Amino acid sequence: MRLWGNHARILEHPDEHELPAFAARPARQAGPLRLVFVSRVVEHKGLHVLLQALQEVRSPLSLDIFGPIEDPKYFERCKEIAEFTPKQIALRWCGDLRPEEVRPILAARDALCLPTRSENFGHVIAESLSVSTIVLTTPTTPWSDTILAGGGALVPDRSPHRWAATIESLAVLTDDELHARRHQSGASYDEWAAAPRPNHLWERALRETPTCGTHGQRATDARAVPSSQHFRESHPAAPTTAPPNEPAKPGSQ
């Protein structure tokens, strides 16, 4: 709007993803709470907050940590904090994951912990909900409404004390109660996945943008609007639309 003025039309397109239409409902094995951290090992994602929080947790549980070490100094800091982990907590450093491994790993745990500063989309949150795994995160992601609807819990900030209290509230639940909480997480994902999605951004933009013709006609005829596939296959330069009564030809520019 600074560039084009207050009359600019801003179109927002959600991140593309390959996620199922319905959440998986894996059976939960009995036992203590199973937590998982899946993200880049950098300060922004907040692993240190989680490790500090565990020092205040009294119930038995496990935490598996997955993710690439992008900041070696930060990783060393996290390892130093982890040395003070209470004995009743099983802590495991598990290394990086391939993309196809993420959802099965999440499905085998009860809750994803992500004390992030912020997320543009938060793919790991979507993946977690898609396998009915509870999400504990901050209110600085696009997922707050879905999480409040049953997907998990929002911790107000990155205070280790508040994270410890939230984790403890899950750790004291019975097996049946944890199973029910995971079912709620999957249900919140189903509701999100069923919500209507807008047309592809390119198609929306073309329909609302004047054509290059001399009369300034808008591309209102569906036949004159190239599909998103056409955009990917055609020349990188922005294609123009065909005249209103003629369909756009493949490769036209």
Side-chain angles (χ1 to χ4, degrees):
M1 294 180 72
R2 286 195 300 268
L3 184 62
W4 289 304
N6 292 332
H7 296 293
R9 170 73 168 155
I10 310 300
L11 301 181
E12 180 179 345
H13 185 69
D15 277 33
E16 300 289 350
H17 59 78
E18 294 183 0
L19 291 169
F22 300 97
R25 300 293 202 279
R28 183 186 184 274
Q29 295 182 352
L33 178 69
R34 302 177 184 91
L35 302 179
V36 64
F37 175 92
V38 179
S39 192
R40 296 179 294 122
V41 180
V42 293
E43 196 278 341
H44 187 91
K45 301 298 185 179
L47 177 58
H48 68 288
V49 175
L50 179 56
L51 295 173
Q52 290 170 342
L54 292 182
Q55 297 177 20
E56 302 181 31
V57 174
R58 298 292 173 259
S59 299
L61 57 83
S62 66
L63 169 65
D64 294 334
I65 301 170
F66 294 88
I69 300 170
E70 295 191 0
D71 186 339
K73 290 185 178 180
Y74 177 73
F75 175 60
E76 291 300 322
R77 174 187 170 194
C78 288
K79 287 202 301 183
E80 292 175 0
I81 298 173
E83 292 178 0
F84 298 94
T85 303
K87 293 182 179 180
Q88 76 275 11
I89 295 176
L91 179 65
R92 292 181 286 266
W93 301 90
C94 303
D96 203 356
L97 286 173
R98 295 189 300 274
E100 65 271 16
E101 296 176 318
V102 174
R103 293 182 70 242
I105 288 293
L106 292 167
R109 277 74 179 175
D110 297 309
L112 168 74
C113 295
L114 187 64
T116 181
R117 286 193 182 277
S118 62
E119 297 293 323
N120 290 329
F121 180 69
H123 288 86
V124 72
I125 296 175
E127 290 171 311
S128 182
L129 296 173
S130 76
V131 291
S132 301
T133 294
I134 302 163
V135 174
L136 308 182
T137 192
T138 56
T140 53
T141 82
W143 293 94
S144 294
D145 289 345
T146 302
I147 291 172
L148 290 174
L154 293 180
V155 185
D157 53 38
R158 304 213 303 175
S159 161
H161 178 72
R162 286 182 169 175
W163 274 84
T166 303
I167 291 170
E168 188 74 59
S169 68
L170 281 182
V172 298
L173 297 180
T174 65
D175 290 329
D176 288 343
E177 289 171 333
L178 273 175
H179 178 79
R181 285 295 301 274
R182 291 197 60 173
H183 184 82
Q184 291 176 354
S185 178
S188 70
Y189 173 86
D190 291 346
E191 183 176 350
W192 170 81
R197 295 288 187 267
N199 292 334
H200 193 279
L201 181 61
W202 290 121
E203 297 177 6
R204 295 166 60 197
L206 278 175
R207 289 180 183 277
E208 300 186 21
T209 302
T211 68
C212 297
T214 57
H215 300 290
Q217 296 174 322
R218 293 184 178 273
T220 56
D221 192 313
R223 294 172 299 171
V225 181
S227 68
S228 57
Q229 180 69 23
H230 174 223
F231 270 88
R232 289 191 293 269
E233 294 175 350
S234 61
H235 192 275
T240 60
T241 59
N245 294 325
E246 298 180 17
K249 297 178 181 180
S252 61
Q253 301 173 17

